[in-house]
Amino acid sequence: MRPRGIVVIAVVVALEATALLVAAVWYGTQLLTGAPVLSFWGALFTLCLLLAFSVWLFAVARFLLRGFRWPRAGALVAQIFVLTIGFPTLTGGYPLAGLTMLVPAVTAIVLLFDKRVIAFASRAAGAPPAL
């Protein structure tokens, strides 16, 4: 039985992946329309990073729902990154944007350490759940 916490974490991570994908599409259209950049190759690298991180987060969300162990660490790292962006956003004069980032990230972090989530997401590749 899949705990609700794992579903909440997966939804948070999938929404973050979607936000990165939307940012990548916007960034790519800006590059194609000739927006000024200091370095074209640097901008292209940034676009590739946005796309790669988005794909990685979608994989984390999917494999969390399937009960694998490794996505817990990936989800935690992603939430810590969100905290490092969300807190300065909150204190820098954009409280709504900051709270929009911080509340789901903190919720996901708390749920990642829930006993039911740990018990469910404990399967190694090709093995049945460990607990």
Side-chain angles (χ1 to χ4, degrees), residues 34-123:
V37 293
L38 293 176
S39 165
F40 174 76
W41 295 110
L44 190 62
F45 179 72
T46 302
L47 176 63
C48 290
L49 279 179
L50 285 169
L51 290 170
F53 199 46
S54 176
V55 168
W56 178 68
L57 284 178
F58 277 124
V60 165
R62 179 172 183 239
F63 284 98
L64 264 174
L65 286 174
R66 293 178 61 194
F68 283 89
R69 183 181 347 184
W70 67 266
R72 288 193 331 242
L76 180 62
V77 168
Q79 301 320 304
I80 291 171
F81 283 148
V82 172
L83 289 178
T84 62
I85 296 168
F87 186 71
T89 303
L90 177 72
T91 59
Y94 299 99
L96 186 59
L99 285 173
T100 303
M101 288 185 260
L102 289 175
V103 171
V106 169
T107 302
I109 289 171
V110 169
L111 289 174
L112 279 167
F113 292 100
D114 182 74
K115 286 187 242 180
R116 293 168 295 222
V117 168
I118 293 171
F120 177 78
S122 62
R123 185 172 68 160

